[in-house]
Amino acid sequence: MNTRFLIYSATAAAFLGLAGCASAPGESIYVPVGSSKAEAPEPPRASSKEDKPRVWRKSEQPEVSEPAPRSSSPSYRDAGDSLSPAAVSLIQEADTLLAQGDAPAAIARLERAQRIAPRSAEVYFKLSEAYVASDQLGTAEQFTLKGLSLAGSNARLQRSGWLLLADIRRARGNVAGADQAEARASRL
């Protein structure tokens, strides 16, 4: 009996609490303390741009100046990073290790070169070749795609990247993808 009474009283309290929070349709529930319902002010409204004229501050005014002259060096989109001597040395070490059949050591050297020159397409293509040598074709394809995204407008790098991608896709059994990559390479 006590349990039933507690459940009924808790349910009744919940309903009464919700009924006290409700308002009649169309009436505002915003009533300042100490005033009656009839004297309640309008609730605040968001102002639109049409209500107030725009005030331009000196710091917000658009600068009117002549465009800066273009530099003769290409942006990173036009060409990837140039390789530092340290990165070139690591790539040469990796080539030697790949020729000796030590793909894991070559990958380690190339990952160091990648940290030195993270926007160099050549490093990504070399990493891809090393992963092909270690028979990790999925990873090799991803590194090739990353290298292609960094090759910019360098047609030589793009062509070698697309041909590398075609070889990887053919080795993975994706003949249609390999044909598409070769077609992209032939258009360059």
Side-chain angles (χ1 to χ4, degrees):
M1 179 77 175
N2 278 339
T3 310
R4 185 177 283 173
F5 177 73
L6 288 174
I7 292 174
Y8 286 137
S9 62
T11 306
F15 280 123
L16 288 175
L18 288 175
C21 292
S23 64
E27 290 184 17
S28 174
I29 60 169
Y30 176 72
V31 179
V33 176
S35 64
S36 68
K37 236 182 190 181
E39 299 170 7
E42 280 278 323
R45 290 198 176 121
S47 64
S48 66
K49 290 184 178 181
E50 297 168 358
D51 293 343
K52 296 179 184 176
R54 175 80 170 131
V55 176
W56 289 95
R57 292 176 182 81
K58 179 92 170 147
S59 61
E60 294 176 340
Q61 299 221 354
E63 292 286 326
V64 179
S65 63
E66 295 180 24
R70 290 196 57 127
S71 64
S72 61
S73 64
S75 70
Y76 75 92
R77 295 275 186 202
D78 295 333
D81 280 350
S82 60
L83 290 174
S84 68
V88 171
S89 173
L90 287 167
I91 290 173
Q92 290 171 347
E93 286 179 36
D95 284 338
T96 304
L97 289 167
L98 276 175
Q100 295 171 354
D102 193 1
I107 290 171
R109 299 295 190 293
L110 291 168
E111 286 174 346
R112 283 179 56 200
Q114 178 193 13
R115 287 190 294 275
I116 293 170
R119 300 204 56 78
S120 174
E122 296 173 43
V123 173
Y124 285 96
F125 292 151
K126 288 291 185 176
L127 261 168
S128 179
E129 291 171 8
Y131 278 109
V132 167
S134 66
D135 201 31
Q136 297 179 27
L137 299 177
T139 306
E141 184 172 349
Q142 293 302 311
F143 276 112
T144 304
L145 291 170
K146 178 65 176 179
L148 281 168
S149 72
L150 295 173
S153 59
N154 187 333
R156 180 191 61 82
L157 273 177
Q158 284 186 358
R159 181 172 168 72
S160 65
W162 284 111
L163 291 174
L164 178 61
L165 184 64
D167 292 341
I168 293 168
R169 286 181 173 172
R170 188 161 279 112
R172 292 185 77 189
N174 184 356
V175 177
D179 291 341
Q180 288 175 348
E182 285 176 348
R184 289 285 297 262
S186 67
R187 282 183 261 165
L188 295 173

